[in-house]
Amino acid sequence: MTRAVGILGLGHYVPEKIITNTDMEKIVETSDEWITERTGIKQRHIAAPEEATSDLAYNAAVEALKDAGVAPEELDLVIVGTASSDYIFPSTACLVQARLGAKNAAAFDLAAGCSGFVYSLAVASQMVKSGLYNKILIIGAETLSRIMNWTDRNTCVLFGDGAGAAVVGEVEEGYGVLGIDMGADGNGGKFLLQPAGSRNPASEETVAAKDHTIHMNGQEVFKFAIQIMGKTAKRALAKANMKPEELDMLFPHQANYRIITSAAKRLKMPMDKVWVNVDKYANTSAASIPIALCEAQKAGALKKGDNIILDGFGAGLTWAAIVLKWSK
Ligand code: UT7
């Protein structure tokens, strides 16, 4: 008999400070109207100067552990999906592991851009399913405001900071993760990247060129997103032996309202079954799906037995979708 694996608890955290579209008008040449029409974003949360990704991750993790009724010492592994780690190394997961006192846990970061949380759930669920581990903390956490070019209106209006966490473990038979699809097309890596790194070690030139910030070809990422979200969701549904009409809720990556509606249309899902919060948080990359899940749980919108799908895409280019039967 195989082990059923699902989500035992959820938590999320967003920094207190909010920057509205009207505030953005004072930073770059843009308008609330343009941002709202093209993206659906109205505001974003921005980390305080003393806050870094591991702090956001830690706050979300504490809430998830409490929700799951799991102590830090029970954790076997901590995975942080992030594209804006505190340091290049050590991993943000190691920082969170230490701060939580999760002394029995291994820890690593997972780099899959905005797909980071869904990739992490795929990895964690299989490690629990195999019997290697029992309890794994997965976190999507970002302080994208630190790697944003605040003079580039093409990118700086799009992103925000936040974190979402989940404790993964064994659930009742028939519940939890039912189907997984993951993929990547590294040829598209050039469309969304932070060029600084071992190829461009820090120098006056790389700082002047803002190589340590997000560089994006928005139109290419948009085209990729609208075709891949439907495809990966359908593949995950096929693995779960489920039809789109059996889904109760879609949790898409929150990058752009137009991308979200296009994904919903491809799955023939009405918008009242789609969790949307891009207006409040903008694109929080790997944090967007777990924040949405946690909000839905807090709002009482998730019932035991609901069929849900997590549907993400991001830098890499990567994509991933997971179908779950909600077990809480
Ligand atoms: O998690 C994955 C990360 N990324 C994404 O998901 C992004 C995917 N892409 C998108 O969401 C969209 O492509 C954007 C929202 C980035 C852009 O929307 P678009 O409809 O593709 O606009 P565009 O790039 O074609 O730009 C249209 C115009 C341009 O002006 P011209 O050349 O037509 O005169 C831009 O310069 O809008 C201009 N523009 C802006 N205007 C006001 C670009 N950014 C802004 C801005 N405010 N912030």
Side-chain angles (χ1 to χ4, degrees):
M1 199 176 76
T2 58
R3 228 178 170 193
V5 184
I7 289 177
L8 307 178
L10 289 165
H12 84 284
Y13 172 81
V14 289
E16 216 175 287
K17 185 176 177 183
I18 289 174
I19 296 189
T20 64
N21 289 351
T22 316
D23 298 329
M24 290 303 303
E25 290 174 2
K26 291 171 205 131
I27 298 171
V28 283
E29 202 185 322
T30 189
S31 64
D32 174 39
E33 194 192 350
W34 190 95
I35 303 171
T36 306
E37 265 177 26
R38 302 287 177 127
T39 71
I41 295 164
K42 296 299 287 181
Q43 60 175 46
R44 68 284 293 140
H45 289 249
I46 299 292
E50 67 279 8
E51 276 179 323
T53 298
S54 68
D55 301 313
L56 276 53
Y58 171 81
N59 291 337
V62 167
E63 194 176 275
L65 287 167
K66 191 167 171 234
D67 186 42
V70 168
E73 306 78 45
E74 290 178 70
L75 293 173
D76 301 303
L77 174 65
V78 178
I79 307 176
V80 176
T82 186
S84 48
S85 47
D86 286 33
Y87 309 115
I88 302 289
F89 64 87
S91 68
T92 300
C94 280
L95 304 177
V96 175
Q97 183 257 13
R99 199 164 156 200
L100 285 172
K103 56 179 196 288
N104 300 311
F108 64 84
D109 286 359
L110 191 154
C114 307
S115 310
F117 180 82
V118 191
Y119 260 60
S120 298
L121 178 57
V123 171
S125 64
Q126 299 314 295
M127 283 177 150
V128 175
K129 190 175 171 184
S130 72
L132 176 67
Y133 288 143
N134 291 316
K135 302 244 172 4
I136 302 180
L137 173 66
I138 59 170
I139 310 170
E142 307 281 5
T143 42
L144 295 172
S145 61
R146 299 283 156 69
I147 58 164
M148 238 134 74
N149 177 353
W150 287 92
T151 63
D152 176 17
R153 70 175 183 176
N154 291 292
T155 52
C156 74
V157 303
L158 303 175
F159 300 99
D161 300 337
V167 179
V168 177
E170 187 169 6
V171 296
E172 227 176 291
E173 209 188 324
Y175 290 84
V177 172
L178 301 181
I180 299 174
D181 183 64
M182 291 162 78
D185 176 7
N187 293 314
K190 56 186 177 285
F191 297 134
L192 180 51
L193 79 163
Q194 182 189 331
S198 64
R199 190 166 294 283
N200 289 306
S203 68
E204 282 178 23
E205 289 75 30
T206 60
V207 173
K210 295 196 188 298
D211 282 348
H212 54 286
T213 65
I214 297 171
H215 291 232
M216 183 175 72
N217 181 330
Q219 287 183 358
E220 287 296 336
V221 177
F222 189 92
K223 277 192 278 182
F224 158 72
I226 56 170
Q227 54 91 18
I228 204 65
M229 285 187 84
K231 272 190 198 163
T232 187
K234 283 175 189 166
R235 287 187 205 130
L237 281 162
K239 286 180 187 150
N241 209 4
M242 199 182 280
K243 297 192 182 69
E245 52 270 32
E246 293 173 72
L247 285 170
D248 296 293
M249 191 79 82
L250 164 66
F251 290 91
H253 170 46
Q254 309 279 322
N256 182 318
Y257 188 69
R258 289 186 290 148
I259 295 174
I260 294 172
T261 51
S262 145
K265 204 176 268 176
R266 279 164 203 248
L267 293 172
K268 298 196 175 66
M269 287 191 75
M271 286 308 288
D272 62 350
K273 288 187 171 181
V274 184
W275 198 266
V276 180
N277 62 16
V278 68
D279 52 328
K280 287 197 286 182
Y281 305 119
N283 180 349
T284 58
S285 185
S288 89
I289 289 177
I291 290 175
L293 264 179
C294 188
E295 272 194 342
Q297 176 177 268
K298 283 181 183 160
L302 280 173
K303 297 186 305 298
K304 187 172 178 181
D306 278 356
N307 296 321
I308 67 166
I309 188 163
L310 318 183
D311 193 357
F313 68 92
L317 297 167
T318 59
W319 59 88
I322 295 186
V323 177
L324 293 130
K325 190 175 278 295
W326 199 244
S327 50
K328 288 191 74 198

